[in-house]
Amino acid sequence: MKNKTFMTAIMLMCLFLVPHLAPAQFPKETEAQKTQRMQWWTDARFGMFIHWGLYALPARHEWVKNYERLTNEQYQKYFEMFNPDLFDPHEWAKMARAAGMKYVVLTAKHHEGFCLFDSKFTDYKAPNTPYGKDLIKEYVEAFRAEGLKVGFYYSLIDWHHPDYTIDRCHPLRQDSDTAYARLNKGKDMSKYREYLKNQVRELLTNYGEISIIWFDFSFPGKNGKGRDDWDSQNLIKLARSLQPGIIIDDRLDLKDVEGGWDFVSPEQVKVTKWPEYNGKRVPWETCQTFSGSWGYYRDEYTWKSPAQLLELLIESVSKGGNLLLNVGPTARGVFDYRAQDRLKSMGDWMKYNSRSIYGCTEAPADFTAPANTLLTYNPVTKRLYVHLLVYPMGRLTLENMADKIKYVQLLSDASEVKFTVGKDENKNDVNLQLPVQKPQTEIPVLEIYLK
Ligand code: GLC
């Protein structure tokens, strides 16, 4: 009898626990299928991030509402003023394409909660501002017309929704549990979870093929939010059911769940090596700003130089990753002149050197990069690319490579680079004879045809 009660108790416990422990019912996919699904993205290597919202008006960081602890009422003036009269997404798309970018991710909603799209589930959206239109529709059409794959960033965090509970990342964050309890009384996160799903459904239904969804971000722990707050697993299921090929980032707090993410997203850092998870190299993309802010920030002056930005791109590819480079358009709807300038410089370089970027990855381990260079490698064409970050004086030695090299040229003008082979103990080294003058390109690239 006792035993029976015990068994019943165990069964009840299992029933209660199983829904939490059961593996997610994500569409089954082998590793090869995942690689295949992500192939266009892996080959593309370079994308544009766009952070645009009401925060373009204060023009002092997209977290301004949080940093300055503004209430909805204090922030409302930006909604009432929002009228990007110069917005021309075709112009944006042309600049992205000319820079060599192959895909784009725009903030459909950022943490402030404002929706650039015409959502049925909120009034806090672009069509209700003086601008009066769905910005996402125009964006999607324009970028598609330029041949870029289109994606959405969608903020899990929402500093405007009435049912979103105040947490430690909120503009109205508190110091004590009682203060949180008082402020959060009557808020119902289950309603917010419904709202998330409704909006994700809208975004992935109403705008044709969407290639990427970038959820941002989780911060589990005390007064934080994570997978249960968003219902992350069901968000992924929903996204994949509506757009089977879609690529999803790793910020839903599902790192340990198989199928819970497609790539890792190191932010504003140069990785030291190809990122791994459980001992395995994983797809990755670093997102980076031109300066310190994602949203338009008028008085921010720490802009990276074109050479630094190119180095960031090459460096990412040299470790098997992508670069998602951000632009924060102004509240008039245009790219800041500094952003335009950087994009133009990158495009000038990409025009002649993109062969060392697209379809490329980390070079096989038996190639050693000479000092001040970065290597990339195209496994299909079997060509190795040497990026000269500092232009050498006439000669560059590639160690232990004489038996591997067939032909060397400068990528920018396909001009031959002659070489000699070393002697005695250096007899497998190759000494390249470079032109004395640095070729007219920001970072010269040597293209090596391998045997
Ligand atoms: C951070 C910030 C956010 C930005 C994002 C881009 O999570 O909260 O403002 O959108 O990084 O990766």
Side-chain angles (χ1 to χ4, degrees):
M1 190 62 199
K2 230 180 176 178
N3 217 357
K4 217 171 151 193
T5 324
F6 179 70
M7 288 305 286
T8 319
I10 294 281
M11 265 167 66
L12 279 173
M13 258 174 70
C14 285
L15 273 178
F16 175 74
L17 284 174
V18 158
H20 301 265
L21 299 176
Q25 297 301 305
F26 296 144
K28 282 260 172 289
E29 193 180 38
T30 63
E31 214 158 300
Q33 284 166 332
K34 179 178 172 184
T35 306
Q36 175 70 33
R37 177 167 58 82
M38 295 186 68
Q39 196 65 52
W40 72 263
W41 181 87
T42 311
D43 288 343
R45 289 304 185 210
F46 190 24
M48 176 179 276
F49 217 174
I50 307 178
H51 275 69
W52 202 35
L54 300 180
Y55 43 79
L57 285 143
R60 46 182 196 274
H61 207 283
E62 79 284 355
W63 274 60
V64 59
K65 187 175 185 186
N66 179 298
Y67 291 168
E68 300 180 14
R69 296 181 176 238
L70 305 175
T71 61
N72 283 347
E73 292 67 35
Q74 289 168 316
Y75 204 70
Q76 182 60 16
K77 62 182 171 193
Y78 304 124
F79 180 80
E80 284 160 17
M81 293 296 295
F82 187 75
N83 193 5
D85 58 326
L86 299 178
F87 175 53
D88 178 359
H90 292 277
E91 219 172 72
W92 294 10
K94 283 200 176 78
M95 284 189 262
R97 192 171 96 127
M101 293 158 160
K102 297 279 196 188
Y103 61 100
V104 59
V105 180
L106 167 69
T107 51
K109 177 189 93 169
H110 201 260
H111 308 336
E112 63 180 4
F114 175 68
C115 297
L116 299 189
F117 60 109
D118 192 4
S119 170
K120 278 206 198 77
F121 302 94
T122 183
D123 295 330
Y124 202 50
K125 57 181 178 184
N128 291 344
T129 64
Y131 184 70
K133 277 187 282 178
D134 182 331
L135 292 155
I136 289 289
K137 188 167 178 292
E138 298 178 58
Y139 148 80
V140 164
E141 286 165 6
F143 277 82
R144 242 182 233 141
E146 288 298 324
L148 279 86
K149 293 268 194 187
V150 173
F152 295 137
Y153 166 110
Y154 183 80
S155 175
L156 300 164
I157 296 171
D158 195 312
W159 298 330
H160 183 268
H161 194 282
D163 282 304
Y164 185 93
T165 51
I166 313 295
D167 54 40
R168 65 170 196 266
C169 278
H170 196 280
L172 305 181
R173 62 199 165 277
Q174 300 293 313
D175 295 327
S176 72
D177 290 349
T178 43
Y180 274 115
R182 183 173 40 80
L183 273 178
N184 285 332
K185 201 160 174 259
K187 289 187 187 289
D188 181 355
M189 274 297 283
S190 71
K191 286 197 188 141
Y192 179 68
R193 276 190 287 280
E194 237 359 80
Y195 179 73
L196 285 184
K197 278 185 207 121
N198 285 332
Q199 290 210 319
V200 168
R201 191 176 298 109
E202 288 182 311
L203 285 169
L204 301 186
T205 307
N206 298 344
Y207 301 95
E209 187 188 321
I210 298 303
S211 304
I212 299 167
I213 186 142
W214 231 96
F215 292 110
D216 196 38
F217 64 91
S218 302
F219 49 109
K222 192 167 160 57
N223 297 318
K225 287 189 173 69
R227 61 180 81 179
D228 294 335
D229 299 285
W230 320 126
D231 192 9
S232 295
Q233 308 222 7
N234 282 316
L235 273 181
I236 291 204
K237 267 198 250 174
L238 176 67
R240 295 214 191 282
S241 72
L242 297 170
Q243 301 273 347
I246 202 161
I247 296 178
I248 307 179
D249 69 334
D250 65 338
R251 298 188 179 188
L252 279 161
D253 184 28
L254 293 177
K255 251 316 175 10
D256 55 334
V257 177
E258 204 187 319
W261 50 278
D262 285 327
F263 65 91
V264 298
S265 58
E267 176 177 328
Q268 303 280 49
V269 286
K270 260 193 187 179
V271 302
T272 49
K273 61 175 187 109
W274 190 324
E276 293 177 3
Y277 188 74
N278 283 343
K280 264 203 201 142
R281 290 173 161 194
V282 292
W284 68 277
E285 171 192 75
T286 180
C287 49
Q288 301 270 347
T289 56
F290 284 128
S291 60
S293 168
W294 301 87
Y296 175 61
Y297 198 134
R298 183 190 58 207
D299 303 331
E300 164 67 69
Y301 297 106
T302 59
W303 284 66
K304 299 174 184 82
S305 71
Q308 285 175 311
L309 293 163
L310 285 171
E311 192 177 322
L312 207 51
L313 173 63
I314 299 160
E315 167 103 32
S316 303
V317 181
S318 80
K319 296 182 170 70
N322 287 18
L323 171 66
L324 187 64
L325 189 55
N326 180 74
V327 181
T330 72
R332 297 293 301 278
V334 298
F335 288 180
D336 177 271
Y337 67 96
R338 292 162 291 190
Q340 293 203 31
D341 174 66
R342 297 322 184 265
L343 290 171
K344 169 86 176 59
S345 305
M346 295 186 88
D348 289 346
W349 185 85
M350 284 292 278
K351 177 170 180 191
Y352 297 103
N353 298 294
S354 62
R355 225 145 75 193
S356 75
I357 301 295
Y358 301 141
C360 289
T361 187
E362 184 169 309
D366 48 340
F367 297 119
T368 325
N372 304 314
T373 70
L374 287 169
L375 302 182
T376 65
Y377 175 70
N378 186 319
V380 175
T381 61
K382 301 211 168 15
R383 290 184 207 165
L384 178 72
Y385 296 95
V386 185
H387 300 79
L388 308 174
L389 303 181
V390 176
Y391 193 69
M393 284 270 282
R395 174 177 152 149
L396 182 75
T397 298
L398 303 175
E399 281 171 21
N400 216 13
M401 286 204 41
D403 56 345
K404 299 193 181 79
I405 296 182
K406 197 156 70 188
Y407 186 80
V408 186
Q409 63 180 4
L410 267 171
L411 182 53
S412 54
D413 64 355
S415 62
E416 181 177 10
V417 173
K418 293 173 71 176
F419 58 87
T420 56
V421 172
K423 287 196 184 80
D424 305 330
E425 69 272 22
N426 299 326
K427 70 173 183 314
N428 204 23
D429 291 354
V430 161
N431 299 311
L432 301 170
Q433 295 158 32
L434 298 175
V436 173
Q437 274 193 352
K438 179 184 164 187
Q440 285 298 312
T441 187
E442 185 73 60
I443 298 176
V445 185
L446 302 170
E447 183 173 52
I448 301 181
Y449 289 62
L450 298 169
K451 278 185 189 153

